[in-house]
């Protein structure tokens, strides 16, 4: 499969063979059969995003939402001085692009930390499925609520915790996330660099 430097969903064809444990098809349960079939027919499965390539660029119009199938991405933006501020890391099963729904354009860059694959679906298809299924709408609302809660915890961490506590909390949180996705809670690697981790934790490289 061709790897891309800047993802162009318009050039990709939906309806490829579904992948095992697709994060997007998980959104169809439960849902009306007709609405589910339409939604699943519009999914583009396992789009390759090579390491250091952009999945989304800040300012680009929101077209689709993405679910990480394998690999990992960092989510961040450049500050007024052109310095990258990392705001989060997306792991397998995570949705990417939800923060763009309100304004209709991506507020952040999403960049692959390693060779990764994502599954994507047009936003209007997810909205149509939500209208047909209150259960799916609730799942989306819960996901958005979790994003807000995570943001609050991150602010509290930066404001009140020491460097050691920040690193410990990050590793503990990562352990919980991996365990929830069926991976080992004690054996995992960190795909991000120390610089990227320092940006996310608000620490200097030397401290990390």
């Amino acid at each position: 499969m061709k790897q891309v430097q800047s993802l162009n969903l318009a050039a990709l064809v939906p309806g490829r063979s579904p992948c095992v444990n697709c994060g997007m098809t998980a959104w169809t349960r439960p849902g009306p059969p007709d609405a589910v079939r339409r939604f699943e027919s519009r999914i583009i499965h396992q789009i390759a995003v090579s390491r250091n390539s952009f999945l989304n660029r800040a300012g680009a119009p929101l077209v689709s939402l993405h679910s990480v199938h394998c690999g990992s991405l960092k989510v961040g933006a450049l500050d007024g001085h052109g310095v990258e501020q990392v705001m989060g890391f997306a792991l397998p099963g995570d949705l990417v692009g939800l923060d763009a729904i309100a304004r209709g354009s991506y507020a952040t860059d999403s960049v692959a930390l390693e060779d990764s694959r994502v599954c994507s679906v047009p936003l209007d298809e997810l909205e149509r499925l939500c209208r047909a299924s209150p259960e799916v709408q609730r799942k989306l609302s819960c996901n958005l609520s979790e994003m807000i809660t995570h943001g609050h915890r991150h602010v509290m961490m930066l404001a009140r915790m020491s460097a050691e506590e920040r690193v410990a909390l990050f590793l503990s949180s990562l352990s919980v996330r991996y365990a929830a996705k069926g991976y080992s809670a004690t054996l995992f690697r960190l795909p991000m660099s120390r610089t990227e981790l320092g940006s996310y934790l608000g620490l200097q490289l030397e401290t990390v």
Side-chain angles (χ1 to χ4, degrees):
M1 188 179 294
K2 183 179 179 181
Q3 293 182 331
V4 292
Q5 291 301 310
S6 186
L7 196 61
N8 180 10
L9 287 172
L12 298 172
V13 179
R16 293 175 178 168
S17 298
C19 49
V20 178
N21 298 323
C22 176
M24 276 300 175
T25 57
W27 281 89
T28 66
R29 298 187 294 271
D34 289 344
V36 167
R37 282 192 291 270
R38 176 185 171 86
F39 179 83
E40 293 185 346
S41 72
R42 297 295 305 279
I43 298 173
I44 306 173
H45 293 277
Q46 295 203 42
I47 305 166
V49 189
S50 58
R51 183 173 181 268
N52 295 327
S53 296
F54 286 85
L55 174 62
N56 302 318
R57 286 182 178 270
L62 170 60
V63 176
S64 297
L65 298 177
H66 318 283
S67 174
V68 181
H69 178 73
C70 62
S72 55
L73 297 89
K74 64 178 176 180
V75 178
L78 299 179
D79 64 17
H81 302 286
V83 177
E84 181 184 52
Q85 174 61 55
V86 177
M87 302 174 184
F89 301 101
L91 304 176
D94 289 344
L95 283 181
V96 180
L98 289 174
D99 59 331
I101 292 178
R103 56 189 292 177
S105 61
Y106 299 107
T108 55
D109 295 323
S110 299
V111 183
L113 291 168
E114 56 192 319
D115 289 347
S116 305
R117 292 180 184 273
V118 301
C119 298
S120 301
V121 72
L123 174 62
D124 60 354
E125 288 300 331
L126 180 58
E127 292 175 333
R128 184 177 285 108
L129 182 61
C130 287
R131 289 193 294 270
S133 172
E135 293 85 357
V136 174
Q137 176 64 64
R138 176 167 175 76
K139 286 172 69 174
L140 180 61
S141 298
C142 288
N143 202 297
L144 291 169
S145 178
E146 288 176 358
M147 287 182 59
I148 295 172
T149 300
H150 175 76
H152 291 167
R153 286 199 300 262
H154 192 234
V155 171
M156 290 289 289
M157 175 193 70
L158 295 178
R160 301 195 175 192
M161 291 188 176
S162 67
E164 292 82 359
E165 289 172 330
R166 295 181 196 184
V167 174
L169 178 62
F170 172 74
L171 294 175
S172 176
S173 299
L174 207 58
S175 172
V176 171
R177 290 175 66 187
Y178 276 124
K181 299 173 188 301
Y183 301 107
S184 171
T186 56
L187 291 175
F188 52 85
R189 63 186 182 83
L190 302 180
M192 68 289 297
S193 68
R194 283 180 293 176
T195 299
E196 290 162 339
L197 182 54
S199 176
Y200 177 69
L201 296 178
L203 300 173
Q204 296 296 323
L205 174 61
E206 297 76 12
T207 305
V208 175

